[in-house]
Structure formats: C-alpha cells, structure tokens
Amino acid sequence: MPAQKQKRVLTIQDISCVGRCSLTVALPIISAAGIECSILPTAVLSTHTGGFEGYTYRDLTADISPITEHWKSLGLKFDAIYTGYLGSFEQIELVSKIFDEFKAPGGTILIDPVMGDNGSLYTGFTPEFALGMAKLCAKADVILPNLTEAAFMLGEPYRDEYSEEDIKALLLRLYGLGVKEAAITGVTYKSGKLGVAGFDGKKVKTYFNKRIDGYYHGTGDIYASAFLASYMKNGGKLFSAASKAAEFTVACIKAKQKTGGEARYGVPFELCLNKFTGSDDIIVIPTTM
Ligand code: PXL
C-alpha cells in the first residue's frame, strides 16, 4: 500500500472569542470533516463586531511574518488555504504572499471576502478595502461572496433586488477579477427561496432552499467552512460543494430555531456536526499525494 496522506488546510481569519463565527466555526467544521486544520489568527476579539458593544480587538498583523518564517523553516505546504475576515490592507498583502509561498502544488485557494451583509459593510470596513479584497481574489481558485460583498468588490451600488440575469452577469464580472470559480450566496430571485449561484468558468448553476426569514449570525462562515470541507473531499466540484454546504447551513439554522437564543451568539452548528461527519460524502478518505 502506498503511504497515505491526510489533507491539510490553513485557514486565516480572526478569533472572535464569543459569538460563533470565523475561526471558532471553521476549525471544528473542517476538523469534523476529517481534514487537518491549521490556523493563522489575524486578530483576537472578545466578541465579533456584529451586535456587541465594547468589544476588544487585538491586531495580530505583527505576528504573521514571524509565524510564517517559522513555517518556511519547516517546509510546510497546505492543500488548501482558506481566508475569511481580514482586518487591514497590510493583512491583504501578507495573505497574498502566503498564497504564493504555502500553497501545495495542485492546492486550492478559497477566499470568503467577509466584509458585510444586507447592503452594508461591517464596522471598520471601507469601499476601498473591498477593492483591495477584489485584487486579492485574482489569486483565488474559488470565492464565496454574498451579494453585498460582490457589489462592493466590483465597485457597484448594492441593489435590493437581483434578477436571475443580474446574478449571471454579476458572476461573470466576479470571474473577470481573475478567479477560477465563484459562488454568490444569499440569492433571492425565486420567491420564497434562498439560494446560491455558482459559475465554474463554463456554466452557471443554482441551488435553492426554502427561505427561512430572520438573521443568523456566522452562517456565512459556516457555509464557507462546510463548502471547503466538501470541495476538498469531492475533488473540487463547485456545484456539489455549494449545495452540500447550503444543506449543512440550513440544518444549523433549523437547530437555532429549536434552541432559540440571541442571534448575535450565532447558530448551534455543534448540534449538526454529527450529520456532517456521518456523511460519506464529506468525510475525507486519506489520499495519496
Ligand atoms: O462572521 C463574520 C465576522 C467575522 N469576524 C468578525 C466579525 C464578523 C461579522 O460581523 O465581526 C470579527
């Protein structure tokens, strides 16, 4: 039997200590899928910024280069590098170098350009930063913006309504940023439904679920983490990963409806991990690489 190697991911985003988003969801979800998950925290916050007052923010930009220098001395490479919430132009520059230096041959760069939702940017982000993120996307294999992030990255006004044709055109413009594949989340042109629309460089496909009203914090990060896990397991199939991640996210939202609790504390994805690990489609079978 040839030696078998488990896949190893690096995810780069903040640690929001409380509030179930960014690293506190990415690490358990990717790990549950049987993939080794290494982390590079960009900042430590007492809570995320969406709905809490008085949160602390420790910027870790100065630690990034010493950490990556050490990794270089170890000869580390990653089968995928997945970025989420980044806090500054300097971090975008550092991440761009990390892509060049640490992606294993044949590896995947996934950018979730976490910056805003429902037409507005999160606290601390500017339209200029969104354009910086768009530039970084030229190095991505896959990007997963929501409609707000897509509009800001393209320097376009956010609209309250997007038709099917609008979404297709948006996907093509995102592709024009230099990405290989893109999926837009939060697509609503089918009445009573919420979906994701993907473009793999050849065709556009959509996946819709029954729309669940309300705001569920952290579900974008849950979606991206589940997407990555599924994408790595299935050999890089955009549409299948996009729909599996949507199913998992919907399960997490349904669990929140059962447990209740404030939206700002996120959704109880922990209660759904068994579903995730239990699926042959998602567990990673070690590959020869
Ligand atoms: O879930 C996205 C996210 C990640 N990290 C931080 C945030 C947010 C959204 O508000 O504030 C720090």
Side-chain angles (χ1 to χ4, degrees):
M1 275 255 293
Q4 294 190 313
K5 188 175 157 287
Q6 188 187 21
K7 288 192 178 169
R8 176 189 279 152
V9 164
L10 169 64
T11 181
I12 309 175
Q13 42 189 322
D14 69 283
I15 298 180
S16 288
C17 299
V18 167
R20 290 188 184 110
C21 67
S22 41
L23 278 180
T24 64
V25 310
L27 183 52
I29 290 175
I30 293 166
S31 302
I35 298 168
E36 179 185 348
C37 185
S38 306
I39 61 167
L40 182 49
T42 53
V44 180
L45 294 82
S46 52
T47 65
H48 60 73
T49 66
F52 294 96
E53 293 290 320
Y55 53 83
T56 66
Y57 188 108
R58 163 89 53 197
D59 180 56
L60 296 180
T61 305
D63 291 280
I64 293 179
S65 292
I67 288 171
T68 54
E69 282 308 309
H70 181 220
W71 288 353
K72 256 193 249 172
S73 77
L74 300 173
L76 286 172
K77 297 279 178 195
F78 299 96
D79 299 307
I81 304 177
Y82 152 39
T83 67
Y85 184 101
L86 302 176
S88 63
F89 283 100
E90 194 183 347
Q91 287 190 351
I92 289 181
E93 285 303 314
L94 288 165
V95 161
S96 178
K97 268 177 52 194
I98 291 171
F99 288 164
D100 297 339
E101 291 171 349
F102 290 98
K103 186 178 95 156
T108 299
I109 303 285
L110 171 69
I111 298 181
D112 181 9
V114 176
M115 289 179 292
D117 206 359
N118 294 317
S120 316
L121 293 174
Y122 297 136
T123 308
F125 289 105
T126 61
E128 292 70 40
F129 183 83
L131 299 179
M133 186 68 95
K135 214 173 128 215
L136 183 67
C137 287
K139 290 197 174 169
D141 294 291
V142 188
I143 62 170
L144 298 175
N146 59 31
L147 280 167
T148 304
E149 292 152 351
F152 275 95
M153 286 203 297
L154 293 166
E156 299 172 2
Y158 173 81
R159 302 221 299 271
D160 287 330
E161 282 187 21
Y162 288 85
S163 67
E164 183 172 0
E165 288 315 308
D166 293 336
I167 295 292
K168 282 187 183 160
L170 208 52
L171 280 168
L172 288 180
R173 290 199 291 282
L174 288 171
Y175 187 68
L177 297 176
V179 308
K180 295 201 183 75
E181 300 181 317
I184 302 177
T185 56
V187 171
T188 57
Y189 61 77
K190 277 194 184 178
S191 109
K193 307 235 178 219
L194 186 67
V196 47
F199 181 59
D200 66 356
K202 294 192 195 91
K203 55 191 177 309
V204 172
K205 275 197 192 177
T206 54
Y207 178 81
F208 282 91
N209 254 295
K210 193 167 172 289
R211 188 189 174 104
I212 304 175
D213 284 326
Y215 178 64
Y216 297 92
H217 193 90
T219 46
D221 302 339
I222 287 174
Y223 182 85
S225 305
F227 176 95
L228 179 72
S230 181
Y231 189 84
M232 292 191 72
K233 154 66 185 132
N234 74 21
K237 295 195 195 82
L238 176 78
F239 302 117
S240 133
S243 62
K244 288 209 162 69
E247 276 164 31
F248 182 68
T249 309
V250 167
C252 295
I253 291 173
K254 286 189 175 155
K256 177 74 173 186
Q257 291 179 321
K258 284 195 189 137
T259 60
E262 293 179 48
R264 62 184 178 166
Y265 287 102
V267 299
F269 71 91
E270 304 86 355
L271 304 177
C272 304
L273 284 177
N274 58 339
K275 232 177 194 307
F276 196 59
T277 53
S279 160
D280 287 344
D281 288 338
I282 289 179
I283 284 192
V284 167
I285 297 147
T287 53
T288 50
M289 272 188 64

